Amino acid sequence: MSEDLAFKLQLGIVLPKLREKIQADLTIIIDELVASLKSGTREGEAFDVDPVKELILKDLDIFLSDDIFPGIVAKYTPPPAEPETTEEAASE
């Protein structure tokens, strides 16, 4: 796929659908995680969200790899051709 086409798909289809379908739920999950981690910091101590972002990106990668793409691959990969049995081959 060309980079130009991929970019158009990303901006025109993928990102709008992600915003529409999962932005609110993902924001709640991340907010809960940040609040939990922030509760363990001292008052006035700086809190860096970059490690949380890295964690979420790794979790999304695992989620996509383990839960989403196996079904997609199975759906769009044709089943392997069954080998002919010796009886079928002999009759032809």
Side-chain angles (χ1 to χ4, degrees), residues 57-74:
L57 289 172
K58 288 177 185 176
D59 286 341
L60 285 171
D61 185 39
I62 292 167
F63 173 68
L64 291 171
S65 296
D66 292 353
D67 298 330
I68 302 298
F69 278 100
I72 297 295
V73 169

Side-chain angles (χ1 to χ4, degrees), residues 4-20:
D4 188 48
L5 178 59
F7 185 70
K8 288 178 182 177
L9 289 172
Q10 180 182 14
L11 292 180
I13 296 174
V14 177
L15 289 175
K17 289 286 185 185
L18 289 174
R19 287 181 178 121
E20 175 188 339

